[in-house]
Amino acid sequence: MGAGCASTPKAVTEQIPHEFTFPRNFLWGAATSAHQVEGNNINNDWWEWEQTRIPKARSGQACDHWNRFEEDFKLAQALGHTAHRFSIEWSRIEPQEGQWDSAALEHYAQVIRSLRAKGIEPIVTLHHFTLPLWLARQGGWLSEKTPQLFARYVKKVTEALGGDVHYWMTLNEPVVYTYKGYMAGEWPPGGKSPKEAIDVFENLLLGHVLAYEQIKEIYTQENWQEPMVGIAQSVLIFRACSDRSFRDRIAARFRHWMFNHLFVQALVRGKAYCIGVFNVHLPRAKTLDFIGLNYYTRDFVLHHGYGFPGILGQACTATAEQNRHTGKDNFLSWEIYPKGLHTFLEDFSRYKLPLLVSENGIATNDDTERVSFIVEHLKAVAQAMEEGAPVIGYLYWSLLDNYEWAEGFVPRFGLIEVNYTTQKRRIRGSARKLEKIIRAGKIGFEKHEY
Ligand code: FCB
């Protein structure tokens, strides 16, 4: 182009990306859960389930993180992480009913000290899908006694570790847990009963409230700085299989309410009601100090009758969804849909509570896909924050490749690759990309009309 040519200002503006600077105290890091990384959690219901139901997907020694946490946290520190979410394995703390293992409590105290020494904020999950065997044998979350037993375990853990923890997450994905274990029959205990699922759902709500009260009470007694207590809520975009079908749209709306909002709404309001299905009253309202959101994908929903659970709909056929699908899937065939994260951060802002992206990640064998997954999702976070969403952090799932429940070790979610034969760790390029963004503290993006 000749020197005298006038350039069009519009084209220039379009090329300049908009830049968003994250707050200095933004929590940057990754998440794991005990059963998926520690190894040899032989005393819980998942271990038992693996031996009989999924012999090809046994957790075994997993990532041996129980013994290698120090090495793993050094890597997280080198990658610029300032926060780390992990879970405490109840079956290690209370191996038999009412018997407490002080060595196990001391182990987690060391885990927390190791993180703190590296300038990494611990974010502690108290229940991430597994139950001690003794408790599973007496009905697990189906039993009316379990909310109290959960609160008693939380009391022990808080007394032992509380002085060093600011962020607690009582439950991980209570709705997914209920659905997979009590309706779909895919996870322990393999239930397929909507009636049981509703009982479990109610007991989980109560369990959270009692645990919340317990934690708060101990912090007050001990004069520790007031903690932040929340849950990790799974959120999935639900789209009608056919936008022209009123019935599909209803099914998608109903799913959205039931799977994404109901649990959180019940905790905020202290009650939940669904005509002819349930009517729950909790001992108190407002038992969330922040909301963790685990976001991965979008589902297309086909109407399946007006009764319960038919109204939840079912997955629609590939052909029907084809024209609206982004065309990109992860290794587990979950659609990659970054825009959905923006949608939820905006949507959940309605609760006027701090939001933490407590899980977001991709299973893939192609690390360049992970790079673009992370970048695109962080752009969605940046835009939501710029528009006012109160986001306090972003935790990638997961720090390490790990045991992906019924899918076993095949899906690779890690920022760090694990060789399960040698237990060698290798930092992936995507981890370096995330590190760059963390260290820069900002990201460039073009505004979308979401
Ligand atoms: C979430 C779980 C987590 C992990 C990811 C992939 O639903 O909380 O344990 O399995 O999915």
Side-chain angles (χ1 to χ4, degrees):
M1 193 187 284
C5 266
S7 58
T8 53
K10 184 167 176 282
V12 172
T13 337
E14 274 170 4
Q15 279 162 20
I16 298 173
H18 192 81
E19 205 167 64
F20 178 79
T21 304
F22 290 91
R24 283 189 70 79
N25 58 354
F26 196 71
L27 299 165
W28 288 106
T32 61
S33 90
H35 193 71
Q36 294 178 273
V37 294
E38 285 179 352
N40 295 316
N41 274 322
I42 57 173
N43 198 21
N44 71 28
D45 55 346
W46 254 95
W47 184 275
E48 188 181 56
W49 179 262
E50 290 157 33
Q51 310 314 311
T52 51
R53 303 293 190 100
I54 39 175
K56 285 201 194 117
R58 290 181 177 152
S59 59
Q61 63 165 356
C63 309
D64 193 28
H65 180 71
W66 180 264
N67 298 307
R68 293 169 196 260
F69 67 88
E70 181 62 28
E71 173 196 344
D72 293 336
F73 296 160
K74 276 190 186 143
L75 297 176
Q77 183 188 31
L79 291 169
H81 293 195
T82 61
H84 179 71
R85 175 176 171 227
F86 68 96
S87 77
I88 293 194
E89 176 59 35
W90 186 350
S91 65
R92 290 198 189 254
I93 305 293
E94 191 179 1
Q96 295 299 329
E97 182 168 5
Q99 284 177 23
W100 307 95
D101 185 333
S102 52
L105 281 166
E106 179 47 31
H107 170 89
Y108 289 110
Q110 273 177 32
V111 164
I112 292 164
R113 281 197 292 272
S114 164
L115 288 168
R116 285 245 176 259
K118 295 173 185 56
I120 302 177
E121 180 75 37
I123 299 174
V124 184
T125 311
L126 290 154
H127 179 268
H128 197 123
F129 296 162
T130 57
L131 281 180
L133 258 187
W134 61 263
L135 181 54
R137 297 228 163 96
Q138 59 188 54
W141 284 103
L142 257 181
S143 157
E144 278 178 8
K145 278 163 62 190
T146 299
Q148 272 82 18
L149 293 172
F150 180 59
R152 189 177 66 170
Y153 145 75
V154 169
K155 180 169 188 269
K156 277 276 169 198
V157 173
T158 312
E159 282 167 351
L161 311 176
D164 257 344
V165 178
H166 184 59
Y167 293 98
W168 293 99
M169 309 193 85
T170 56
L171 304 171
N172 180 66
E173 301 189 349
V175 186
V176 171
Y177 176 80
T178 307
Y179 183 76
K180 294 267 201 187
Y182 294 88
M183 273 178 80
E186 291 167 16
W187 288 0
K192 288 187 180 172
S193 149
K195 154 90 185 66
E196 286 188 356
I198 290 162
D199 290 347
V200 166
F201 188 84
E202 293 187 16
N203 285 335
L204 285 163
L205 282 168
L206 182 58
H208 166 84
V209 175
L210 299 182
Y212 180 93
E213 288 182 325
Q214 199 58 259
I215 298 171
K216 292 286 170 154
E217 202 180 301
I218 294 166
Y219 273 67
T220 312
Q221 273 164 17
E222 299 287 340
N223 224 353
W224 292 333
Q225 191 207 339
E226 167 124 36
M228 300 278 282
V229 184
I231 60 162
Q233 171 69 27
S234 149
V235 283
L236 251 152
I237 297 279
F238 294 110
R239 179 90 188 252
C241 195
S242 159
D243 275 342
R244 273 170 304 172
S245 157
F246 175 69
R247 287 155 34 118
D248 287 0
R249 292 204 310 272
I250 293 274
R253 285 292 284 271
F254 195 76
R255 264 199 181 217
H256 173 62
W257 173 68
M258 189 106 191
F259 282 96
N260 296 328
H261 280 289
L262 183 58
F263 204 88
V264 168
Q265 231 173 49
L267 295 181
V268 170
R269 296 179 181 164
K271 56 184 183 201
Y273 176 69
C274 180
I275 188 165
V277 184
F278 53 79
N279 188 5
V280 191
H281 285 269
L282 295 170
R284 63 185 276 188
K286 296 193 179 152
T287 54
L288 286 175
D289 303 325
F290 73 100
I291 303 170
L293 297 178
N294 293 357
Y295 174 71
Y296 290 89
T297 188
R298 166 167 78 166
D299 267 5
F300 291 86
V301 186
L302 184 70
H303 181 265
H304 189 48
Y306 286 105
F308 187 78
I311 196 160
L312 290 174
Q314 61 189 30
C316 83
T317 59
T319 29
E321 74 184 53
Q322 243 163 27
N323 55 342
R324 279 166 296 129
H325 196 277
T326 57
K328 284 187 240 147
D329 277 348
N330 81 0
F331 182 84
L332 294 166
S333 303
W334 302 355
E335 188 192 17
I336 297 169
Y337 185 63
K339 179 179 164 182
L341 184 52
H342 176 275
T343 306
F344 279 120
L345 293 173
E346 192 181 40
D347 184 16
F348 274 70
S349 295
R350 71 167 89 160
Y351 295 107
K352 309 233 173 318
L353 289 167
L355 303 175
L356 170 70
V357 180
S358 40
E359 286 181 27
N360 175 237
I362 176 174
T364 177
N365 292 326
D366 174 355
D367 197 48
T368 59
E369 282 184 359
R370 190 176 343 268
V371 170
S372 76
F373 181 95
I374 291 173
V375 170
E376 291 312 311
H377 283 80
L378 281 176
K379 286 180 183 172
V381 173
Q383 180 163 340
M385 288 178 78
E386 196 171 82
E387 291 164 4
V391 187
I392 58 171
Y394 174 88
L395 306 176
Y396 177 81
W397 180 272
S398 175
L399 180 65
L400 306 163
D401 287 339
N402 62 45
Y403 176 69
E404 180 47 31
W405 308 112
E407 313 291 337
F409 289 103
V410 185
R412 299 274 179 169
F413 274 98
L415 292 173
I416 297 169
E417 179 188 316
V418 176
N419 175 327
Y420 295 113
T421 316
T422 61
Q423 289 295 344
K424 276 234 162 67
R425 277 47 173 165
R426 190 183 68 80
I427 291 178
R428 292 200 165 106
S430 50
R432 293 290 179 201
K433 177 67 192 175
L434 177 58
E435 179 194 356
K436 261 196 172 159
I437 300 172
I438 297 174
R439 297 207 189 275
K442 55 189 175 191
I443 194 163
F445 68 98
E446 278 150 35
K447 277 203 168 194
H448 291 279
E449 285 298 321
Y450 282 149

